[in-house]
Amino acid sequence: MRSGIVINIHFLYKQPVQIMSAIASLTLSVSHNTTPYYQQLREQILTAIREKRVKSEERLPSTRNLAKTLGISRSVVTHTYDQLIAEGVLVSMPKRGIFIANVSHITLPSARLNSVAVTDIEKNEGSKGDAMPARYFDSSADHSVFPYREWAASVRRSWLNPDPNILMGNYRLGFPALKEQLAKFLHSLRGIECDPSQIIITAGNRDALQLLQHLLKSQVALWYTENPTYLPINASLTGELRGLNVIEGGVSPPDTQATWAAVLTPCRQYPLGVSYSSQYREKWLQSLSEGQGYVIEDDYDNEFIYQGRPTVTLFQAAKSRPYAEERVFYVGSFSKTLFRGLRLSYVVVPKGFVCSVLDSQIMIGQSASLPMQPALSDFIESGAFYRHLNKMRRHYRLKRDFLDALLTLHLSDWCEWEKPTGGMHILLRYKAPLSEDHQHAQRLKSQALEQGLTLSLLEEHYLDPESAPKGLVLGFSNTAEEDMERWVVLLRDLITKGVFDPDG
C-alpha cells in the first residue's frame, strides 16, 4: 500500500480514515473535547516535526481534502496552516500546495501556544478573582490567526534605532509616522480624505469618546446615542444621555433648538446591522450644514465587508456640504482588526479642531502609549496590515457562513435573521410564540448561564429593555466553530424545553 497520512476521527468513525499524501508516518486526529480542533492539529504537526517523523519540503494534504476527511470545517484546517505558516513551520507555494519548511534553520514554537480556547476570554475586562472565564459568542478579533512573526519583525525594526521623542513621551497626539500611514490607509480602505495632522491616536475608543466630550463641552448642551447601541459607548460618556430610536433605514437628527452631539454608527449600525438610507443621511447632512450639532461617527467593524461595496462614511460625505465637514468626527480602532490588548484607537478631527484638541488632551491627562505606535506604523507600511485584513475577511466570512448554516439547521423554527453582508455578529429575532413571551429571554439567559454560556440579549442594548424587541446577538469572529455548534445545539434544546415546558 502507498504511504499516506492516517487521520483518526475519534468521535465520527470507528475505523481510521486514510488519505494519500507524500508524507508517511503522520497521524492526525481530532477529538471532541475542550481543546479547539485547530489547536489539536497544530500540536500534532509540531510534535511530528520534533520527533522527525516528517521531513522538510514534504507536502501536506490540501485544506479541502483534510477538512473533508476529518469531517470538520475547512476554515479550521486553514486556521491551522495559516498559524504554522506565520510561525515559519510551513510554507505555501502557489499552485503547488502547503509544505513543511526547512525546520533545521528555525526554532520551533511551543506546541502549547494558545492552548486555552479562544473563547475562554473574560467578557468583562475588569473581572477579577478565580471565577471561571465566561464563554460567549465573541465578536472580537480572532488572535489565533494573528501574523505573530510579521508583527515581531515590525517591533524589531521599529526599535533598532528608536526615535528619542518616543522615549521622552513627546508625541502627545500620536507618533507622526503612524499618523501618515493611517491617513493613507483610511483613504485606500474607506475613501476618507484627511491630513495626518487631523489624526489623534488614543488609548482605545473609551479614551477617544472622553477626549471628544471634553473638546466639545463648552459648545454642546445635549448628548445623544443611538437606541439600541453598543453598550460601552454609553459607559464612556458622562452626564445625561438621550436616545435616538433606530427604525428601518436609520435614525433622525434630534428635534431640538439646543446644540447637540450624537454618537452614530451609520455605515453599519450596532447591534441591528442596518446601514443608514440615503434619506436619513441627507437629514443628518442638512442638519450639520445648518450648524445645529456635531456627529461622532464610530465606524466600528466596517473593515470587514463580505458582499458589495463599503458604504461611504458620513465624515467623507460631509466634505461636499458647506459647514458640515467641520462638524463630523471619525473614530476607528485597531482592537477589531488586530487584537484587543493593543489598546490603540484614533480620531480624525475637523481641521478647525486640530489646535484645540491638544489642549483637551493635556487637560484630561490622557494619551495613548507610544512604544507600540512605531511597530504599528511599520506593520502598516510593510503591507502586513493589508494582507492581514484580506486574510481575516475570508476567515470571518467562513465563520459567518458556518454559524448561518448551524442556525438554519437548528433554530430556523424559532428564530429569524438575515445573513449579514459584513461585520462580526449575527442578530437573531424571535418568531412567535417566543416573541410574545416577555419572560423567555431572561429565562433562556439564566438557563444558558447554568451551562456555562453567557448570552448577549438584544433588549439589553436598549434604553428601555422591557419594551424592546427580543432576540440574541451572536458574535462569530472569535468563536471557535466547535463551540458554535455546541452552543447552538444548547440554545435549540433550551428553547424547545422553554416552549413545551415554560416552567421547566
Side-chain angles (χ1 to χ4, degrees), residues 206-228:
R206 181 187 294 268
D207 184 30
L209 292 175
Q210 291 175 347
L211 173 64
L212 293 177
Q213 190 171 35
H214 187 276
L215 179 67
L216 298 172
K217 68 176 184 178
S218 63
Q219 303 176 52
V220 172
L222 301 174
W223 282 83
Y224 291 85
T225 60
E226 296 167 324
N227 183 37

Short mmCIF file of all heavy atoms in Angstrom, two decimals, residues 206-228:
data_model
loop_
_atom_site.label_atom_id
_atom_site.label_comp_id
_atom_site.label_asym_id
_atom_site.label_seq_id
_atom_site.Cartn_x
_atom_site.Cartn_y
_atom_site.Cartn_z
N ARG A 206 -12.90 54.24 24.35
CA ARG A 206 -13.36 54.96 25.54
C ARG A 206 -12.59 56.26 25.70
O ARG A 206 -13.17 57.33 25.95
CB ARG A 206 -13.20 54.09 26.78
CG ARG A 206 -13.67 54.74 28.07
CD ARG A 206 -13.32 53.86 29.26
NE ARG A 206 -14.05 52.61 29.23
CZ ARG A 206 -15.22 52.43 29.83
NH1 ARG A 206 -15.78 53.42 30.51
NH2 ARG A 206 -15.81 51.26 29.77
N ASP A 207 -11.28 56.19 25.52
CA ASP A 207 -10.43 57.37 25.60
C ASP A 207 -10.82 58.38 24.52
O ASP A 207 -10.87 59.59 24.76
CB ASP A 207 -8.96 56.95 25.44
CG ASP A 207 -8.00 58.11 25.60
OD1 ASP A 207 -8.32 59.04 26.34
OD2 ASP A 207 -6.92 58.08 24.98
N ALA A 208 -11.11 57.87 23.31
CA ALA A 208 -11.47 58.76 22.20
C ALA A 208 -12.76 59.52 22.50
O ALA A 208 -12.85 60.74 22.28
CB ALA A 208 -11.63 57.94 20.92
N LEU A 209 -13.78 58.83 23.02
CA LEU A 209 -15.05 59.48 23.32
C LEU A 209 -14.92 60.48 24.46
O LEU A 209 -15.51 61.57 24.42
CB LEU A 209 -16.11 58.43 23.65
CG LEU A 209 -16.55 57.54 22.48
CD1 LEU A 209 -17.50 56.45 22.97
CD2 LEU A 209 -17.20 58.35 21.37
N GLN A 210 -14.14 60.13 25.47
CA GLN A 210 -13.95 61.06 26.58
C GLN A 210 -13.19 62.31 26.14
O GLN A 210 -13.49 63.42 26.58
CB GLN A 210 -13.21 60.35 27.72
CG GLN A 210 -14.06 59.28 28.40
CD GLN A 210 -13.28 58.49 29.44
OE1 GLN A 210 -12.05 58.55 29.51
NE2 GLN A 210 -14.00 57.71 30.23
N LEU A 211 -12.22 62.13 25.24
CA LEU A 211 -11.49 63.27 24.70
C LEU A 211 -12.43 64.19 23.92
O LEU A 211 -12.39 65.43 24.08
CB LEU A 211 -10.36 62.78 23.80
CG LEU A 211 -9.59 63.85 23.00
CD1 LEU A 211 -8.85 64.78 23.94
CD2 LEU A 211 -8.62 63.19 22.02
N LEU A 212 -13.28 63.63 23.08
CA LEU A 212 -14.19 64.44 22.27
C LEU A 212 -15.25 65.12 23.12
O LEU A 212 -15.65 66.25 22.85
CB LEU A 212 -14.84 63.58 21.20
CG LEU A 212 -13.89 63.05 20.12
CD1 LEU A 212 -14.62 62.14 19.14
CD2 LEU A 212 -13.21 64.20 19.38
N GLN A 213 -15.71 64.45 24.17
CA GLN A 213 -16.69 65.08 25.05
C GLN A 213 -16.08 66.29 25.75
O GLN A 213 -16.74 67.32 25.91
CB GLN A 213 -17.23 64.07 26.06
CG GLN A 213 -18.42 64.61 26.85
CD GLN A 213 -19.10 63.56 27.69
OE1 GLN A 213 -18.46 62.66 28.23
NE2 GLN A 213 -20.42 63.64 27.80
N HIS A 214 -14.83 66.18 26.16
CA HIS A 214 -14.15 67.31 26.78
C HIS A 214 -13.93 68.42 25.77
O HIS A 214 -14.11 69.62 26.07
CB HIS A 214 -12.82 66.87 27.37
CG HIS A 214 -12.13 67.93 28.17
ND1 HIS A 214 -11.32 68.90 27.59
CD2 HIS A 214 -12.13 68.19 29.51
CE1 HIS A 214 -10.85 69.70 28.52
NE2 HIS A 214 -11.32 69.29 29.70
N LEU A 215 -13.58 68.04 24.55
CA LEU A 215 -13.32 69.02 23.50
C LEU A 215 -14.55 69.86 23.18
O LEU A 215 -14.46 71.06 22.91
CB LEU A 215 -12.83 68.29 22.24
CG LEU A 215 -12.52 69.13 21.00
CD1 LEU A 215 -11.31 70.02 21.23
CD2 LEU A 215 -12.28 68.22 19.79
N LEU A 216 -15.74 69.24 23.24
CA LEU A 216 -16.97 69.90 22.83
C LEU A 216 -17.83 70.39 24.00
O LEU A 216 -18.93 70.90 23.80
CB LEU A 216 -17.82 68.94 21.98
CG LEU A 216 -17.20 68.46 20.66
CD1 LEU A 216 -18.06 67.38 20.04
CD2 LEU A 216 -17.02 69.63 19.70
N LYS A 217 -17.33 70.26 25.22
CA LYS A 217 -18.18 70.50 26.39
C LYS A 217 -18.70 71.94 26.46
O LYS A 217 -19.82 72.18 26.95
CB LYS A 217 -17.44 70.14 27.67
CG LYS A 217 -16.26 71.05 28.00
CD LYS A 217 -15.65 70.66 29.35
CE LYS A 217 -14.52 71.62 29.74
NZ LYS A 217 -13.97 71.28 31.06
N SER A 218 -17.93 72.91 25.97
CA SER A 218 -18.37 74.29 26.04
C SER A 218 -19.37 74.65 24.96
O SER A 218 -20.01 75.71 25.01
CB SER A 218 -17.16 75.24 25.94
OG SER A 218 -16.52 75.09 24.68
N GLN A 219 -19.55 73.77 23.96
CA GLN A 219 -20.43 74.07 22.84
C GLN A 219 -21.68 73.21 22.82
O GLN A 219 -22.66 73.56 22.16
CB GLN A 219 -19.66 73.86 21.52
CG GLN A 219 -18.39 74.71 21.42
CD GLN A 219 -17.62 74.41 20.15
OE1 GLN A 219 -18.17 74.44 19.06
NE2 GLN A 219 -16.33 74.12 20.29
N VAL A 220 -21.65 72.06 23.48
CA VAL A 220 -22.74 71.09 23.39
C VAL A 220 -23.56 71.06 24.67
O VAL A 220 -23.01 70.92 25.77
CB VAL A 220 -22.18 69.69 23.08
CG1 VAL A 220 -23.27 68.64 23.18
CG2 VAL A 220 -21.54 69.67 21.70
N ALA A 221 -24.89 71.16 24.51
CA ALA A 221 -25.78 71.10 25.66
C ALA A 221 -26.37 69.72 25.87
O ALA A 221 -26.62 69.31 27.01
CB ALA A 221 -26.91 72.12 25.48
N LEU A 222 -26.61 68.99 24.78
CA LEU A 222 -27.26 67.69 24.87
C LEU A 222 -26.45 66.64 24.14
O LEU A 222 -25.97 66.88 23.02
CB LEU A 222 -28.67 67.75 24.27
CG LEU A 222 -29.65 68.75 24.90
CD1 LEU A 222 -30.94 68.79 24.10
CD2 LEU A 222 -29.93 68.38 26.35
N TRP A 223 -26.32 65.46 24.77
CA TRP A 223 -25.60 64.34 24.15
C TRP A 223 -26.56 63.21 23.85
O TRP A 223 -27.40 62.84 24.68
CB TRP A 223 -24.48 63.84 25.07
CG TRP A 223 -23.28 64.73 25.03
CD1 TRP A 223 -23.09 65.89 25.73
CD2 TRP A 223 -22.12 64.55 24.23
NE1 TRP A 223 -21.87 66.44 25.41
CE2 TRP A 223 -21.25 65.65 24.48
CE3 TRP A 223 -21.71 63.59 23.32
CZ2 TRP A 223 -20.01 65.78 23.87
CZ3 TRP A 223 -20.48 63.72 22.69
CH2 TRP A 223 -19.65 64.80 22.96
N TYR A 224 -26.42 62.65 22.64
CA TYR A 224 -27.31 61.58 22.18
C TYR A 224 -26.49 60.36 21.74
O TYR A 224 -25.39 60.50 21.19
CB TYR A 224 -28.15 62.05 20.99
CG TYR A 224 -29.20 63.08 21.32
CD1 TYR A 224 -28.88 64.44 21.36
CD2 TYR A 224 -30.51 62.70 21.58
CE1 TYR A 224 -29.84 65.39 21.65
CE2 TYR A 224 -31.49 63.64 21.87
CZ TYR A 224 -31.15 64.99 21.91
OH TYR A 224 -32.10 65.93 22.21
N THR A 225 -27.08 59.20 21.96
CA THR A 225 -26.56 57.96 21.37
C THR A 225 -27.73 57.22 20.71
O THR A 225 -28.89 57.51 20.99
CB THR A 225 -25.90 57.05 22.41
OG1 THR A 225 -26.85 56.70 23.42
CG2 THR A 225 -24.70 57.74 23.06
N GLU A 226 -27.40 56.28 19.85
CA GLU A 226 -28.45 55.51 19.19
C GLU A 226 -29.14 54.59 20.21
O GLU A 226 -28.53 54.17 21.19
CB GLU A 226 -27.85 54.67 18.06
CG GLU A 226 -27.25 55.50 16.94
CD GLU A 226 -26.39 54.66 16.01
OE1 GLU A 226 -25.70 53.74 16.49
OE2 GLU A 226 -26.42 54.93 14.80
N ASN A 227 -30.37 54.26 19.93
CA ASN A 227 -31.13 53.33 20.76
C ASN A 227 -31.76 52.28 19.84
O ASN A 227 -32.68 52.58 19.10
CB ASN A 227 -32.23 54.06 21.52
CG ASN A 227 -33.00 53.15 22.46
OD1 ASN A 227 -32.43 52.27 23.07
ND2 ASN A 227 -34.31 53.37 22.57
N PRO A 228 -31.18 51.05 19.80
CA PRO A 228 -30.14 50.47 20.67
C PRO A 228 -28.75 50.92 20.26
O PRO A 228 -28.57 51.48 19.18
CB PRO A 228 -30.32 48.97 20.43
CG PRO A 228 -30.73 48.90 18.99
CD PRO A 228 -31.64 50.07 18.78
#
